């Protein structure tokens, strides 16, 4: 049986680890931070993943996720569109869900190492890895689940890493009565948008994506929120009438939506390491879970048939593109509709007068339920 090293302990990495370990693989997972911890994330998961999570006893019912069935979109000036979500979804914090999955992985026998892989070389049909602490590791298979942007991407010389990205992500948890707990809202502001939805324990996730130019012109995150985000009356109400629970926000720079490869230097990429959908589509967490399922099942099937690395890589790349390439391109298109006063007004008005248009875009960025 092949041994597997998984680099990154988010949703894609943890679920891959659990599924492979259950089939007898020796699995070591590297996550540089110790659970539990926060991640910059919208923390909304489409219900397309629920049959799969239930089937594998991985749905976090014990964490009391929030059921979300309604959607609101506002323009920069506060024009509002509301509609039901097609499949709906649930809200759960990454701090809680990732930690819960990590505990499940440990119970299954996955070895979790709190260290960062800084080098991963493929030679003579095996991988040689080095960690930040200076330890060396050898593995038959490596899964890359290290997220949106990593120092390992630079070490691997992936093409997207040298192209600068203007996007900055900022996240808070808040207590608020500014939105119903069954609703997810996307509020436009100049050169950005802010998502707001409930997670567990009557807490709400507030996460926004902004262009770096907003931050540069304002000088600081609080000043930018005051000068830019609060121009939207809905956001002004949220920021003025909510209790912010973090001492300081979680921030991530240079979020990239560039095309990536699902297989690179024989590393099998999953989740955001393989491709990141625009956050406004609300489907990144579901895609991470789905890609982990696809990859793990292909590895298991390939091992049972007699390991064939080339066949595995070709099949995974094909299946990944078949399931996600169009969603990512649609997400990049929809992203252009946000953050502009004029375009956001037109988008909201079009959605209000022609609901099938809004439903069409929603379906194009989401998949069907799977198990």
């Amino acid at each position: 049986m092949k041994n597997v090293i998984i680099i990154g302990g988010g949703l894609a990495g943890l679920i891959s680890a659990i599924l492979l370990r259950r089939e007898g693989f020796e699995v070591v997972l590297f996550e540089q931070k110790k659970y539990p911890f926060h991640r910059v994330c919208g923390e909304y998961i489409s219900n397309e993943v629920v049959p799969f999570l239930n089937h594998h006893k991985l749905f976090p019912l014990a964490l009391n996720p929030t059921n979300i069935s309604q959607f609101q979109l506002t323009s920069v000036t506060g024009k509002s569109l509301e509609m039901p979500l097609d499949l709906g979804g649930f809200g759960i914090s990454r701090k809680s869900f990732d930690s819960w999955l990590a505990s499940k992985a440990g119970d299954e026998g996955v070895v979790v190492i709190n260290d960062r892989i800084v080098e991963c070389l493929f030679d003579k049909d095996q991988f040689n890895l080095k960690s930040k602490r200076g330890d060396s590791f050898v593995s038959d298979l490596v899964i890359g689940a290290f997220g949106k942007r990593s120092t390992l991407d630079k070490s691997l010389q992936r093409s997207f890493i040298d192209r600068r990205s203007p996007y900055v992500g900022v996240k808070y948890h808040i207590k608020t009565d500014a939105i119903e707990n069954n609703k997810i809202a996307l509020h436009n502001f100049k050169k950005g948008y802010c998502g707001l939805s409930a997670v567990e324990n009557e807490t709400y996730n507030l996460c926004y994506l902004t262009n770096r130019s907003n931050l540069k012109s304002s000088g600081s995150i609080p000043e930018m929120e005051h000068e830019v985000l609060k121009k939207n009356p809905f956001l002004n109400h949220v920021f003025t009438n909510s209790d912010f629970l973090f001492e300081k926000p979680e921030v991530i720079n240079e979020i990239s939506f560039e095309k990536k490869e699902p297989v690179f230097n024989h590393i099998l990429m999953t989740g955001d390491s393989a491709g990141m959908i625009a956050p406004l589509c609300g489907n990144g967490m579901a895609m991470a879970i789905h890609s982990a399922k696809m990859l793990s099942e292909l590895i298991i099937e390939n091992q049972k048939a007699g390991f064939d690395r080339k066949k595995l890589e070709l099949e995974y790349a094909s299946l990944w593109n078949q399931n996600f390439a169009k969603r990512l391109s649609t997400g990049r298109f929809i992203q252009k509709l946000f953050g502009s006063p004029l375009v956001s007004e037109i988008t909201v008005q079009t959605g209000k007068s022609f609901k099938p248009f809004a439903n069409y875009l929603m379906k194009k960025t989401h998949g069907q339920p799977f198990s």
Side-chain angles (χ1 to χ4, degrees):
M1 187 65 69
K2 298 291 183 183
N3 70 309
V4 182
I5 283 180
I6 299 175
I7 309 171
L11 295 180
L14 288 165
I15 287 175
S16 297
I18 292 168
L19 297 181
L20 292 172
R21 182 66 195 130
R22 285 175 178 175
E23 291 295 321
F25 288 80
E26 296 298 322
V27 181
V28 177
L29 182 145
F30 286 85
E31 170 51 58
Q32 60 182 320
K33 295 182 180 180
K34 289 187 178 181
Y35 301 100
F37 60 91
H38 287 287
R39 298 179 189 269
V40 176
C41 177
E43 300 186 330
Y44 164 84
I45 308 180
S46 164
N47 278 339
E48 67 194 74
V49 307
V50 171
F52 163 77
L53 293 177
N54 282 333
H55 178 74
H56 291 278
K57 297 180 172 56
L58 295 175
F59 185 80
L61 186 62
L63 301 179
N64 298 313
T66 302
N67 180 54
I68 297 174
S69 59
Q70 299 293 314
F71 172 67
Q72 180 185 24
L73 172 66
T74 70
S75 69
V76 172
T77 61
K79 295 288 187 353
S80 178
L81 160 68
E82 297 193 29
M83 59 187 291
L85 286 168
D86 184 17
L87 286 174
F90 60 97
I92 185 79
S93 72
R94 293 295 301 275
K95 181 179 180 180
S96 296
F97 196 15
D98 288 14
S99 182
W100 184 79
L101 286 172
S103 178
K104 290 272 188 186
D107 292 343
E108 298 283 353
V110 174
V111 177
V112 178
I113 298 177
N114 291 124
D115 198 359
R116 178 192 294 178
I117 294 297
V118 295
E119 185 177 284
C120 181
L121 302 175
F122 184 78
D123 183 49
K124 296 179 181 177
D125 207 36
Q126 70 176 20
F127 292 91
N128 298 284
L129 303 94
K130 289 186 179 179
S131 75
K132 186 178 180 181
R133 289 202 296 254
D135 298 322
S136 298
F137 303 88
V138 176
S139 182
D140 300 309
L141 282 173
V142 169
I143 293 174
F146 39 83
K148 305 171 182 66
R149 189 179 184 90
S150 167
T151 54
L152 189 56
D153 288 314
K154 187 169 290 187
S155 172
L156 292 168
Q157 298 182 337
R158 297 183 78 185
S159 59
F160 78 90
I161 199 70
D162 291 326
R163 294 192 286 273
R164 299 294 303 274
S165 169
Y167 296 113
V168 178
V170 180
K171 170 189 159 180
Y172 299 94
H173 275 181
I174 64 175
K175 295 285 188 179
T176 188
D177 61 2
I179 182 174
E180 298 90 341
N181 67 1
N182 69 335
K183 183 185 292 182
I184 184 169
L186 277 177
H187 299 301
N188 276 271
F189 56 87
K190 185 183 74 173
K191 297 183 180 179
Y193 51 88
C194 178
L196 182 65
S197 59
V199 290
E200 71 278 9
N201 300 325
E202 299 181 347
T203 298
Y204 288 77
N205 173 289
L206 186 157
C207 191
Y208 64 84
L209 188 76
T210 183
N211 193 290
R212 191 187 301 109
S213 62
N214 279 342
L215 184 56
K216 186 176 180 180
S217 62
S218 298
S220 69
I221 286 176
E223 283 299 314
M224 176 182 64
E225 290 167 352
H226 178 72
E227 295 175 2
V228 181
L229 276 72
K230 287 185 178 181
K231 297 298 184 189
N232 182 316
F234 284 91
L235 288 176
N236 181 53
H237 180 76
V238 171
F239 276 91
T240 304
N241 298 283
S242 303
D243 294 325
F244 284 69
L245 306 180
F246 294 171
E247 288 186 11
K248 59 181 182 179
E250 295 287 323
V251 181
I252 186 171
N253 291 298
E254 297 216 32
I255 299 174
S256 175
F257 305 108
E258 297 273 356
K259 289 184 180 180
K260 301 177 183 177
E261 309 87 349
V263 181
F264 189 85
N265 283 10
H266 304 284
I267 302 171
L268 303 164
M269 303 292 181
T270 188
D272 287 343
S273 295
M276 182 180 172
I277 195 165
L280 60 91
C281 297
N283 203 35
M285 294 171 73
M287 284 178 55
I289 293 168
H290 194 176
S291 65
K293 168 198 183 290
M294 293 189 321
L295 176 56
S296 300
E297 289 178 351
L298 283 176
I299 290 172
I300 293 164
E301 292 170 7
N302 189 279
Q303 176 69 21
K304 288 178 178 178
F307 183 67
D308 184 333
R309 189 183 305 278
K310 183 177 181 180
K311 183 173 185 287
L312 172 62
E313 292 176 1
L314 289 172
E315 287 183 343
Y316 177 59
S318 175
L319 191 60
W320 194 94
N321 284 310
Q322 176 185 326
N323 279 274
F324 302 128
K326 287 185 178 179
R327 286 197 223 178
L328 293 175
S329 62
T330 303
R332 285 189 287 270
F333 165 74
I334 296 175
Q335 175 114 330
K336 297 175 183 177
L337 304 178
F338 284 70
S340 161
L342 176 60
V343 178
S344 67
E345 294 282 338
I346 293 171
T347 303
V348 168
Q349 190 56 47
T350 302
K352 290 177 73 170
S353 58
F354 189 54
K355 291 288 179 67
F357 170 72
N359 285 321
Y360 172 79
L361 291 180
M362 198 174 294
K363 288 178 183 293
K364 283 294 182 179
T365 58
H366 290 67
Q368 295 299 311
F370 60 91
S371 59

